[in-house]
Amino acid sequence: MNGGSSAPVVPMHPEAGADPQTVRWVIPAGTLPVVGRMTEAPDELGAMLHSGDIASIEVETRAVVIRLADGRSWSALGAQVRDALSTALRHPEQWRPADEVTEDDLLRAALQDVLAGPAGDYIRSHGGEVTIVSAHDRRAEVRMAGTCTHCPAAGFTLHSRLESELRTRFPDLVELRATEESAKAPRGTWLTVRRRRTPS
Amino acid sequence: MSAHCGPVSARAVTGRTRLALVGSPNSGKSTLFNALTGLRTKTGNYPGVTVARYEGVARVGEHEVVIEDLPGTYSLDPISPDEQVVADVLDPGNPDLGTPEAVLVTIDATTLRRSLGLLAQVMQTGLPICVVLTFRDELARRGGSLDVAALRRALGVPVVGVTSGSRNDLAELQSMLLDRSAWERPVVPPPTDPSQRRAWVESLLHSAAYEVPEADRRTRRIDSVLLHPLWGTLIFFATMFVFFQIIFTVATPLQDAVQSVFDRLGTQVTEHVSPQLLSDFLGNALIGGVGGVLVFLPQIALLFLMISLLEGSGYLSRAAFLMDRLMAKAGLEGRAFVALLSALACAIPGIMATRSLPSAKDRFATMMGAPLMTCSARLPVYVLLTGLLVSPDTRVGPFGAQGLVMFALYLAGAFSAMATAWVFKRFSSRSGPVLPFYMEMPSYRLPRLRSVADAIWSACKGFLSKVGRIILLVTVGLWLLLSLPMHSDAHLRSAGIDPADRTAVSAYEVDHSFAADIGQAIEPVFEPLGFDWQINIGVLGSLSAREVFVATLGQVAAAQNPDQPAEALTHMTYTDGPHQGEKLFTPATTAALLVFFLYALQCMSTIGVMRRETGSWRWPAVAFGYMFVLAWTMAFLTHTVVGALT
């Protein structure tokens, strides 16, 4: 069960997915260096993917979404998948995505995760709209539209909510800023939050 | 804590929907149980073990749901018999106990991490589960936070927050109880492997954005004094001291009031009831004997009022913690102290509380010591004898001397109990592994009026039913022994007694009764302690229950001077032998009697429970034997020492 590794067990728990075949296994951000659909996973998990028990494995910033093949059920295979996943998470380097994953992809996925989470909910709750413009070279850019456009607190939200949450998911972040057109207001300049990357 | 009442056997209610209530101690489980079921509860026992079984019926609209309140437990790994019961009930493969259809698990929001460990184990049983989240108000007050919706999503089972006293919350839970088909089931049960389970809990806490509450500031500050090795211990003893002062000073007027009622009744009976025999029976056996015991009801009520106040406020756990150090000296752990503390109410709950001790050796050692703790049955005897020994006006500084003597008796009982446990632990074979002592320090809370009232009521009810059954029976038996044989007028006249002088006649009858014969027959045993046949009969009767002693003396005194039995008791004299005519209750004899009652195992119920808990007659026999020898020896020493001093 421990997969011969002495690494600590990665915290995780299952949550019901969109359909009965799918379970979202919630994991800490940054556990895996990959995102997207996997073609290869370590040990038992990989074996289950190849044997056809598992239809697909999709990695998100804070979750591994596993879909069982039709005809298989979580009540029968749940414990087996859980143990296999627990072991596989200790070998992040052995996960292989379908498409090559760059650092930009990881940053984009992390930002998507932030916007889908409570920070995004907060912005949407009062009519704000945030969309991703670009994620490149450890810098990300979003467009803040809707009620954000002329909101004096937009810069604060960007910095205190979005950026800090993004940083927990993507620690190497250099800066997160809002595009110029989202800041038609004259005060636009202070919407930009710059942070020098400190060598660590 | 329940007093005087051994567990009653009861079968599980069948035929209706059955739910089980599972949770850690102090997780608000019993409060929830009471809130859901009201007073429609019954107590029973699980087959084979003396773990109390509580069941109640919750009425939701037209429907009735049977709820079983399982013993509080921190995990389903069965270490102690309590935990074994919870594990057995939840195990569908166990044929002896009906498995509930669904489980309510109470989770204390302030100790979420630990509570989730238990929840994980309950979820592994595969039974439908609804989580009841308690103490959310306290979590918020102490600066913690929790996203309940996220917790619900992460657990995959329904989570209902319940604030004590909130009817809305309760209504939500009640509607959940009816519609169990809507309960979500977790997609995959939590892992069984301990390290994977820890990781699961960790992940849940993170997802639910759980912020650990700070230790309650008020609690922390109070604890820094109350748990201090020096101040804490001093305060503990001071609290106990005040405790016994209160039992005396507050109870006395109440007790006098009850006494005066019985005195008036007694006078009425002697004046108006005929024939003579019936009047004797009513006046001596019922009013003098049973009434004499009933007088102590105020004290019993007060004792339990204060114990439940200490328990409800959270101080009792602190006392156990402080005493853990002391218990370690006796080779025992804090859990044993909790058992000994329960024995202050009655040895039976004390002995039953030893079930929480995982080590069999510790269990037996604690069980041998528990009956020495001053139980509430000793209280009437102590009060009576202390009254004879020290006048209520005697004061030592600002304190009543009676309260001081009482405090000393309680201390001596506690000390002897621990010494005994130490001896038994020391001389029993092989040592087991040392298991960690785990006890929760709940935040200081205002005691709930309802629980305090419940504790007092059940203690008084237990006392009254004991008086109504065992004590009444033994008293009537003793009355027969004291009144028979009947003497004819001719016989009385030939003995120089005027048959018209009722007092003289009843005194003569008592002195020449069967009881006197029996008392005199065993006189050689107790003679060195200064006991005469009257005390001997009392001691003999008290082997069934300690309070009978008070009833017996009451009867003897009432027979000798029906108008003022209390007066008669003080001036009671030796009726025969070398000391004839001398005052019976000298300080030496009274002190010896007190000490005898301190050590002797005079309680059939205790012996019965000990037999059931240990599974053989061996341990009760050992306990009875050693305690009798100890009682006799200590009483003899006391008699000699006090006799020499006075």
Side-chain angles (χ1 to χ4, degrees):
Chain A
M1 201 179 285
N2 291 335
S5 169
S6 60
V9 182
V10 175
M12 64 171 202
H13 72 265
E15 290 186 4
D19 60 275
Q21 292 305 99
T22 308
V23 169
R24 265 175 69 85
W25 294 86
V26 178
I27 57 172
T31 307
L32 296 176
V34 288
V35 285
R37 201 181 172 90
M38 295 297 123
T39 52
E40 198 65 64
D43 303 331
E44 175 76 11
L45 190 66
M48 291 183 84
L49 182 61
H50 292 303
S51 74
D53 286 336
I54 294 177
S56 69
I57 301 176
E58 192 94 27
V59 175
E60 298 173 1
T61 305
R62 285 186 309 151
V64 178
V65 181
I66 296 181
R67 216 182 98 77
L68 288 186
D70 294 335
R72 309 289 200 282
S73 78
W74 280 103
S75 55
L77 292 178
Q80 195 188 346
V81 172
R82 179 188 63 216
D83 292 347
L85 177 60
S86 179
T87 309
L89 287 176
R90 295 172 179 200
H91 305 287
E93 71 290 347
Q94 292 174 23
W95 292 66
R96 295 278 174 273
D99 310 305
E100 201 191 331
V101 175
T102 63
E103 202 182 38
D104 293 351
D105 296 329
L106 290 176
L107 175 57
R108 180 176 288 273
L111 189 49
Q112 272 165 351
D113 188 59
V114 171
L115 295 181
D121 289 341
Y122 165 73
I123 294 168
R124 281 185 290 278
S125 73
H126 52 265
E129 263 173 49
V130 184
T131 45
I132 301 173
V133 176
S134 70
H136 179 62
D137 199 16
R138 295 174 182 169
R139 291 161 207 271
E141 199 171 9
V142 291
R143 176 178 297 112
M144 299 183 81
T147 52
C148 290
T149 314
H150 298 287
C151 174
F156 180 75
T157 303
L158 182 76
H159 176 69
S160 75
R161 298 293 300 257
L162 298 182
E163 194 202 358
S164 63
E165 285 206 25
L166 180 57
R167 204 172 286 284
T168 63
R169 292 159 173 74
F170 190 84
D172 290 341
L173 180 71
V174 175
E175 73 171 351
L176 170 68
R177 52 168 203 228
T179 53
E180 290 304 314
E181 64 262 46
S182 70
K184 285 177 189 134
R187 294 187 292 270
T189 43
W190 68 265
L191 274 176
T192 306
V193 178
R194 281 181 195 281
R195 182 157 297 186
R196 279 278 131 230
R197 189 182 168 212
T198 46
S200 54
Chain B
M1 290 180 196
S2 65
H4 301 292
C5 34
V8 202
S9 191
R11 297 243 320 261
V13 184
T14 49
R16 281 176 289 190
T17 307
R18 284 169 50 79
L19 298 184
L21 192 53
V22 178
S24 309
N26 297 317
S27 65
K29 185 170 64 69
S30 297
T31 309
L32 178 69
F33 178 69
N34 288 336
L36 282 174
T37 61
L39 289 171
R40 300 178 294 276
T41 61
K42 62 190 251 178
T43 316
N45 247 26
Y46 293 99
V49 284
T50 41
V51 174
R53 176 175 208 159
Y54 295 95
E55 277 190 346
V57 177
R59 266 195 205 114
V60 190
E62 299 288 294
H63 301 267
E64 289 194 340
V65 181
V66 179
I67 298 181
E68 179 168 357
D69 187 15
L70 292 174
T73 178
Y74 291 114
S75 81
L76 293 190
D77 305 324
I79 297 178
S80 69
D82 261 0
E83 290 159 339
Q84 184 70 56
V85 161
V86 182
D88 285 349
V89 169
L90 296 183
D91 179 7
N94 189 313
D96 300 336
L97 296 160
T99 311
E101 286 163 55
V103 185
L104 293 178
V105 184
T106 51
I107 297 252
D108 180 350
T110 62
T111 58
L112 198 56
R113 181 181 295 272
R114 196 193 59 212
S115 307
L116 287 176
L118 173 65
L119 179 62
Q121 291 184 311
V122 179
M123 284 169 79
Q124 278 151 13
T125 62
L127 294 166
I129 285 171
C130 175
V131 169
V132 182
L133 193 67
T134 54
F135 296 114
R136 267 194 310 169
D137 42 349
E138 189 175 318
L139 178 76
R141 186 167 56 75
R142 282 162 50 184
S145 64
L146 172 68
D147 180 347
V148 179
L151 181 67
R152 179 177 188 148
R153 197 168 55 235
L155 281 171
V157 299
V159 177
V160 183
V162 167
T163 314
S164 79
S166 159
R167 294 201 172 277
N168 285 345
D169 290 349
L170 206 60
E172 189 190 343
L173 180 62
Q174 282 170 333
S175 61
M176 291 286 303
L177 293 187
L178 285 187
D179 192 13
R180 283 186 311 282
S181 57
W183 292 13
E184 307 114 68
R185 303 283 198 111
V187 278
V188 178
T192 44
D193 174 64
S195 56
Q196 277 200 40
R197 192 161 65 214
R198 270 194 300 278
W200 177 79
V201 170
E202 191 65 52
S203 185
L204 284 181
L205 293 177
H206 188 258
S207 272
Y210 182 58
E211 294 284 339
V212 185
E214 307 167 16
D216 188 27
R217 238 199 18 243
R218 196 176 47 182
T219 296
R220 208 172 42 207
R221 277 162 62 177
I222 299 176
D223 273 346
S224 68
V225 179
L226 291 190
L227 293 182
H228 189 277
L230 177 62
W231 305 129
T233 313
L234 285 179
I235 291 172
F236 171 70
F237 281 107
T239 312
M240 291 292 121
F241 182 78
V242 171
F243 192 102
F244 296 113
Q245 285 289 328
I246 290 178
I247 287 190
F248 262 86
T249 50
V250 179
T252 310
L254 295 170
Q255 205 183 341
D256 289 347
V258 180
Q259 180 70 61
S260 73
V261 170
F262 281 114
D263 283 354
R264 218 169 313 143
L265 264 178
T267 318
Q268 295 285 322
V269 163
T270 35
E271 278 173 11
H272 301 294
V273 177
S274 58
Q276 180 67 32
L277 196 63
L278 181 63
S279 146
D280 261 6
F281 176 74
L282 289 177
N284 296 354
L286 286 188
I287 298 169
V290 176
V293 180
L294 277 181
V295 165
F296 296 96
L297 192 60
Q299 249 123 358
I300 304 275
L302 262 179
L303 176 74
F304 280 88
L305 166 70
M306 277 183 296
I307 289 183
S308 62
L309 283 182
L310 288 182
E311 194 177 20
S313 65
Y315 185 68
L316 221 49
S317 313
R318 270 77 183 179
F321 174 76
L322 281 171
M323 290 301 107
D324 187 40
R325 262 175 279 223
L326 223 79
M327 297 302 289
K329 294 217 167 62
L332 292 171
E333 44 162 326
R335 263 180 287 235
F337 178 77
V338 179
L340 290 184
L341 209 63
S342 316
L344 267 188
C346 172
I348 291 167
I351 287 171
M352 300 212 304
T354 60
R355 278 180 281 117
S356 65
L357 295 169
S359 141
K361 194 171 140 182
D362 280 9
R363 278 194 80 194
F364 290 136
T366 313
M367 229 181 263
M368 291 296 111
L372 286 175
M373 294 299 285
T374 304
C375 69
S376 55
R378 281 188 178 94
L379 195 61
V381 181
Y382 281 4
V383 174
L384 180 83
L385 293 176
T386 307
L388 289 173
L389 187 64
V390 209
S391 120
D393 307 324
T394 317
R395 302 192 83 77
V396 178
F399 307 110
Q402 290 191 338
L404 276 179
V405 170
M406 210 59 182
F407 183 58
L409 285 167
Y410 271 80
L411 267 190
F415 179 77
S416 308
M418 296 201 3
T420 307
W422 180 80
V423 170
F424 273 90
K425 180 95 195 272
R426 188 72 204 276
F427 292 106
S428 61
S429 53
R430 76 176 181 276
S431 61
V434 177
L435 293 148
F437 170 50
Y438 184 97
M439 200 178 58
E440 201 168 346
M441 297 277 148
S443 304
Y444 289 101
R445 291 167 185 155
L446 269 183
R448 297 180 62 79
L449 197 65
R450 170 80 183 271
S451 341
V452 173
D454 274 358
I456 298 175
W457 167 238
S458 72
C460 291
K461 205 171 66 177
F463 178 68
L464 289 177
S465 86
K466 189 177 177 186
V467 169
R469 288 182 296 179
I470 185 159
I471 296 178
L472 177 65
L473 220 70
V474 177
T475 308
V476 170
L478 279 170
W479 175 77
L480 287 175
L481 285 178
L482 283 165
S483 323
L484 298 176
M486 309 282 277
H487 298 283
S488 65
D489 287 0
H491 178 94
L492 288 172
R493 263 190 289 273
S494 71
I497 307 282
D498 176 10
D501 180 354
R502 253 201 72 211
T503 310
V505 169
S506 52
Y508 179 84
E509 276 183 342
V510 166
D511 290 352
H512 295 85
S513 62
F514 289 138
D517 293 344
I518 298 171
Q520 277 153 358
I522 55 169
E523 211 152 39
V525 180
F526 291 111
E527 209 262 314
L529 313 183
F531 300 177
D532 80 329
W533 71 265
Q534 304 169 76
I535 299 180
N536 290 348
I537 279 299
V539 168
L540 214 58
S542 73
L543 287 180
S544 56
R546 292 184 178 90
E547 298 96 322
V548 169
F549 180 76
V550 176
T552 314
L553 282 191
Q555 282 197 64
V556 174
Q560 291 181 347
N561 187 350
D563 301 324
Q564 281 174 305
E567 190 82 344
L569 204 57
T570 323
H571 299 296
M572 209 179 261
T573 54
Y574 288 97
T575 54
D576 55 4
H579 299 287
Q580 188 167 7
E582 288 173 31
K583 192 166 178 279
L584 177 57
F585 285 103
T586 59
T589 305
T590 315
L593 249 181
L594 276 173
V595 170
F596 186 83
F597 271 88
L598 178 65
Y599 288 108
L601 179 53
Q602 300 148 300
C603 182
M604 286 303 136
S605 326
T606 304
I607 292 178
V609 167
M610 226 182 241
R611 150 87 181 81
R612 234 192 4 219
E613 289 286 315
T614 60
S616 82
W617 282 110
R618 187 174 146 225
W619 287 104
V622 167
F624 186 82
Y626 101 79
M627 285 174 77
F628 186 82
V629 171
L630 190 64
W632 194 92
T633 315
M634 295 305 274
F636 178 68
L637 286 178
T638 310
H639 190 257
T640 314
V641 172
V642 178
L645 289 178
T646 51

